[in-house]
Amino acid sequence: MPPAVAADTPTYTVVPQPAARDLSVYKIHPAIDGTVIGVAALGAIFPLIYENKIIKKNCPCDSGEVNRIDRPVIQYHSPVARTAGDITVALAVALPPLLDGMDLGFKNQAFIEDFVVYGEVLAVDSAVSNAFRYTTQRPRPDAYKLSPIPSQPGGFASFYSGHTASTFAALSAASMTYNLRYGPHVWPWLVTAGVGLGEGATRILSGRHFYTDVAAGMAAGTAFGTLIP
């Protein structure tokens, strides 16, 4: 017979604890992802270092050569819009990993995986953007009204908008990661669209890019920010 239990002896029930949720949504292959990031980073930096040798200034520019859709942008030249655009793209790139790290913990493996994918998105986006800009060498809108012609080679790297592409790429990647981890949510995509369109507007109003430059940047940034994740 089992021993008698005293009436005042406490009894305990063991409640099984739920297993910790795995927050990882990506599987990183260091050799593959590291190579992609490294090659893309070189592709992004190389044109900037040698832009004086790559860019061939082809002005004075004739506004009659600009298509009718883009031609009205030549009249825009807002320093305020340019500053706003620089601030917006900086925040769009910097805030997603910061908020992700605050959510998961900066030492969490899931955050490290997110950060690798995020870096891969931005590296590829920048490399492809620079490849287009330094190959097409399209004069910026303000090159048609500045006198003398722009002295910096960057004045002939209009197509397509790197600022706009980077904004959409960064926020699309963040939206993809959030939805993969927490399920379908519309609000991250609404933020992406709102901030991205605002960035595109600043690039137009500042006279730095044409409508078609911004549209192409939107498409490219969104593609990299969704397909790579």
Side-chain angles (χ1 to χ4, degrees):
M1 295 180 60
V5 179
D8 59 349
T9 300
T11 59
Y12 300 94
T13 301
V14 177
V15 178
Q17 297 297 315
R21 182 185 175 188
D22 183 7
L23 295 175
S24 294
V25 295
Y26 300 119
K27 185 175 182 180
I28 302 301
H29 299 274
I32 297 175
D33 294 292
T35 300
V36 171
I37 292 174
V39 172
L42 288 176
I45 296 172
F46 180 84
L48 298 177
I49 297 176
Y50 294 99
E51 64 178 6
N52 283 310
K53 297 181 179 180
I54 297 173
I55 295 291
K56 306 299 181 184
K57 300 177 183 179
N58 55 355
C59 275
C61 304
D62 180 7
S63 60
E65 298 175 351
V66 181
N67 65 75
R68 292 184 179 181
I69 295 175
D70 287 331
R71 198 174 301 160
V73 180
I74 294 175
Q75 65 182 312
Y76 302 144
H77 187 68
S78 170
V80 174
R82 183 171 181 174
T83 300
D86 291 342
I87 294 173
T88 299
V89 70
L91 292 176
V93 170
L95 284 180
L98 176 62
L99 296 176
D100 192 32
M102 293 173 63
D103 179 31
L104 302 177
F106 290 97
K107 296 182 179 180
N108 190 294
Q109 180 64 27
F111 168 73
I112 296 173
E113 294 164 351
D114 291 356
F115 193 78
V116 170
V117 173
Y118 188 71
E120 198 167 351
V121 168
L122 293 181
V124 173
D125 171 72
S126 297
V128 175
S129 172
N130 282 350
F132 271 90
R133 294 192 300 123
Y134 286 91
T135 300
T136 58
Q137 300 189 18
R138 184 185 194 185
R140 295 184 186 273
D142 53 17
Y144 291 87
K145 61 183 301 183
L146 293 179
S147 181
I149 64 174
S151 59
Q152 298 300 319
F156 301 87
S158 187
F159 185 82
Y160 50 82
S161 173
H163 276 58
T164 306
S166 294
T167 300
F168 272 91
L171 296 181
S172 293
S175 298
M176 284 290 293
T177 301
Y178 190 90
N179 277 265
L180 289 171
R181 177 166 292 126
Y182 298 115
H185 290 80
V186 175
W187 70 264
W189 295 106
L190 294 178
V191 172
T192 298
V195 175
L197 289 171
E199 176 63 25
T202 66
R203 302 307 286 168
I204 292 170
L205 294 174
S206 63
R208 298 297 288 169
H209 287 286
F210 293 104
Y211 293 122
T212 50
D213 299 334
V214 168
M218 291 178 181
T222 302
F224 294 128
T226 55
L227 295 179
I228 292 177

